[in-house]
């Protein structure tokens, strides 16, 4: 089942041996992009970038997401590995929204937030370096 949600990271539940990802965030974000007619190559930022107020249409959490890779053995879920992604909230608008593997600092922040969001579902996420791991027993 695939649904449409709030576009921000939400918790993960393991229900009857199956993962429920309530929202993994947006993998690619283009909502902040707009028309830009200033093509002066001497300017370090475009007119749209100079006029955009960071946070006016989105917040940092809108640029953070997770790629989840589920491992099964004979049809039974064994683990879920969670790879944090960063779409560059603090980047220039012309570069914002394209996902990259998150830095160690951003990865830790994303995974810690996901840990908290998932506790209400009884889901434990272990941190292994820059990757979150859910082990299903």
């Amino acid at each position: 089942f695939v649904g449409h949600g709030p576009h921000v990271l939400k918790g993960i539940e393991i229900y009857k041996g199956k993962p429920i990802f309530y929202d993994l965030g947006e993998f690619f974000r283009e909502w902040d992009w707009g028309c830009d007619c200033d093509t002066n190559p001497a300017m370090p930022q475009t007119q749209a970038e100079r006029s955009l107020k960071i946070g006016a249409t989105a917040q940092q959490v809108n640029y953070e997401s997770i790629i989840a890779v589920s491992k099964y053995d004979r049809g039974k879920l064994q683990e879920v590995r969670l790879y944090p992604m960063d779409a560059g909230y603090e980047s220039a608008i012309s570069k914002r929204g394209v996902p990259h593997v998150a830095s160690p600092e951003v990865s830790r922040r994303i995974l810690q937030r996901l840990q908290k969001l998932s506790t209400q579902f009884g889901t434990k996420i272990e941190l292994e370096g820059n990757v979150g791991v859910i082990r299903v027993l």
Side-chain angles (χ1 to χ4, degrees), residues 19-30:
I20 299 173
F21 306 106
Y22 286 100
D23 203 314
L24 297 177
E26 289 186 318
F27 181 70
F28 181 84
R29 183 172 174 82
E30 63 182 349

Side-chain angles (χ1 to χ4, degrees), residues 36 38 40-51 91-94:
D36 179 26
D38 183 355
N40 182 350
M43 298 297 292
Q45 289 185 314
T46 65
Q47 181 179 4
E49 291 170 329
R50 287 191 304 275
S51 64
S91 298
I93 194 172
S94 58

Side-chain angles (χ1 to χ4, degrees), residues 27-111:
F27 181 70
F28 181 84
R29 183 172 174 82
E30 63 182 349
W31 290 48
D32 296 343
W33 296 358
C35 177
D36 179 26
C37 302
D38 183 355
T39 57
N40 182 350
M43 298 297 292
Q45 289 185 314
T46 65
Q47 181 179 4
E49 291 170 329
R50 287 191 304 275
S51 64
L52 182 74
K53 295 178 183 175
I54 297 289
T57 59
Q59 298 176 359
Q60 190 168 16
V61 295
N62 298 109
Y63 291 85
E64 297 175 346
S65 61
I66 292 282
I67 293 179
V69 178
S70 300
K71 178 182 173 185
Y72 291 84
D73 184 20
R74 297 180 201 154
K76 187 174 179 180
L77 181 65
Q78 300 297 303
E79 72 175 22
V80 179
R81 297 187 80 75
L82 307 164
Y83 298 91
M85 304 300 291
D86 181 2
Y89 173 72
E90 295 181 0
S91 298
I93 194 172
S94 58
K95 297 179 182 178
R96 236 187 284 165
V98 179
H100 297 88
V101 174
S103 69
E105 178 184 325
V106 174
S107 291
R108 182 160 295 282
R109 182 179 67 234
I110 292 170
L111 290 169

Side-chain angles (χ1 to χ4, degrees), residues 5-20:
H7 306 276
V8 294
L9 198 58
K10 297 288 182 182
I12 298 172
E13 179 177 6
I14 305 300
Y15 179 75
K16 295 185 178 180
K18 309 285 189 288
I20 299 173

